Amino acid sequence: MRHVFLVNPAAGQQDQTARFTAMADSLHRRHSLNCTLLRTDGPGSAEAAARRLAQTGEPLRLYVCGGDGTAHEAACGIAGFSNAAMPCIPAGTGNDLLRNFGADAVRFQDAENLWDGPAFPLDLIDCSGRLCLTIACNGIDARVADSVRRFSHLPLLRGRGSYLASVAANFLFRGIGQHWHVSLDGAEEEGDFALVSMCNGRYYGGGSTFARLFGAYSAGQYRRLPAGLIRVETPRVVRIRADEPFVTCLDGECFSSREVTMRLSEKRLNFFGPKGCSPNATAVSPPDFPHGHPGTGSPV
């Protein structure tokens, strides 16, 4: 079995390649594992590298070292391959996927806790042919995430400043809602929507997007909000159509279109982690979700 560390040197505040090289060397020295390290070199390269490794058919454990964007790409690369599995070793500014593991999230920081952990399947969202690990969001939250990328290139707006500038620009100058046709399992509604998200996890935006402005929403306590403001459904297929382009954000990766269709993907992702960990560690109790499973649905 190959153990490959796929490192995004641009993730986070500084290049952490030396840290991950030391991890790979330690696994080889202590457990005689076949360990190698690869560095990504730009957008899309993590997905391409992961797919090439999986296509060999050789048993593969892929340690994805980066943030949610790197994890998203790697997952798209190995999804559907039974011979390949991955965890995430956090190195980015956002690591929302691992927050679902609760107290065990910190154990993902060291490959020594991962290499012999059990593998288990994770569901994926299919968004018009693109795969998503955690949250497929459309609307104001996606617009904020998309704007952050553009503002972060300005010297005075790096870090938290880019989030604040993005929130201000989207709330003050563009308006919150957009006019859409939204179909939930074929039942269509037409109106102005702030956001529609299909959720395969309980966290997104690194806690730094506009959601922080709404305490109950950010804490997952949507039932405290007025009934006409937000709701959760559990449809199998969600379709959005609009006359004007809108932004969709998949695990932090954004694109614009006039129509998207979201559903549970036929492909699943093999994931592994520390012994005893669970991706449902932070799931709320069933009574809070009378219409479906915790962590899934379409807030509208």
Side-chain angles (χ1 to χ4, degrees), residues 31-72:
H31 307 290
S32 300
L33 302 180
N34 177 13
C35 296
T36 55
L37 184 143
L38 299 175
R39 288 164 53 101
T40 65
D41 58 8
S45 63
E47 180 175 351
R51 182 173 291 111
R52 284 196 302 269
L53 290 166
Q55 287 174 336
T56 66
E58 184 178 2
L60 170 69
R61 288 211 154 190
L62 185 67
Y63 304 79
V64 181
C65 308
D68 288 320
T70 312
H72 167 82

Side-chain angles (χ1 to χ4, degrees), residues 10-26:
Q13 300 299 316
Q14 61 183 7
D15 185 351
Q16 300 185 52
T17 301
R19 171 191 167 205
F20 300 120
T21 300
M23 283 189 193
D25 290 343
S26 177

Side-chain angles (χ1 to χ4, degrees), residues 5-9 11-27 29 36-37 39 63-67 88-93 95 98 105-114:
F5 285 73
L6 185 59
V7 178
N8 180 359
Q13 300 299 316
Q14 61 183 7
D15 185 351
Q16 300 185 52
T17 301
R19 171 191 167 205
F20 300 120
T21 300
M23 283 189 193
D25 290 343
S26 177
L27 291 189
R29 184 176 63 256
T36 55
L37 184 143
R39 288 164 53 101
Y63 304 79
V64 181
C65 308
C88 304
I89 303 180
T93 54
N95 300 285
L98 295 184
V106 68
R107 299 173 63 195
F108 282 85
Q109 295 180 4
D110 190 346
E112 183 63 35
N113 301 323
L114 304 174

Side-chain angles (χ1 to χ4, degrees), residues 68-275:
D68 288 320
T70 312
H72 167 82
E73 286 195 14
C76 290
I78 70 170
F81 286 92
S82 60
N83 59 301
M86 62 172 271
C88 304
I89 303 180
T93 54
N95 300 285
D96 291 325
L97 173 63
L98 295 184
R99 295 178 66 192
N100 292 288
F101 289 86
D104 283 324
V106 68
R107 299 173 63 195
F108 282 85
Q109 295 180 4
D110 190 346
E112 183 63 35
N113 301 323
L114 304 174
W115 70 274
D116 60 346
F120 46 87
L122 291 182
D123 287 333
L124 296 168
I125 297 170
D126 182 313
C127 183
S128 297
R130 304 175 187 226
L131 296 180
C132 175
L133 258 172
T134 54
I135 308 293
C137 57
N138 308 267
I140 182 63
D141 47 355
R143 281 163 41 196
V144 169
D146 189 39
S147 297
V148 164
R149 292 179 178 274
R150 287 182 274 113
F151 284 121
S152 63
H153 294 296
L154 301 176
L156 297 179
L157 292 178
R158 290 177 180 171
R160 182 168 175 76
S162 61
Y163 284 99
L164 297 176
S166 179
V167 169
N170 281 281
F171 271 68
L172 297 178
F173 303 114
R174 298 186 59 185
I176 297 177
Q178 291 178 277
H179 195 78
W180 292 344
H181 295 263
V182 177
S183 171
L184 307 178
D185 286 339
E188 185 170 291
E189 301 180 29
E190 180 180 359
D192 293 335
F193 295 82
L195 64 96
V196 176
S197 299
M198 178 169 276
C199 308
N200 192 39
R202 286 162 290 279
Y203 306 94
Y204 72 110
S208 299
T209 65
F210 86 103
R212 295 188 66 178
L213 300 176
F214 307 98
Y217 179 86
S218 184
Q221 299 169 346
Y222 74 94
R223 298 178 74 181
R224 295 186 179 182
L225 297 171
L229 180 62
I230 188 170
R231 75 176 191 260
V232 170
E233 305 283 354
T234 56
R236 293 181 178 274
V237 180
V238 179
R239 184 185 182 194
I240 305 171
R241 294 184 295 113
D243 293 332
E244 298 294 329
F246 58 90
V247 180
T248 298
C249 186
L250 308 179
D251 302 328
E253 303 300 310
C254 302
F255 66 93
S256 295
S257 67
R258 289 184 172 86
E259 180 176 330
V260 296
T261 300
M262 302 178 290
R263 68 183 77 225
L264 182 68
S265 174
E266 294 181 356
K267 294 182 178 180
R268 303 184 84 185
L269 172 70
N270 290 327
F271 199 87
F272 66 96
K275 294 176 181 178

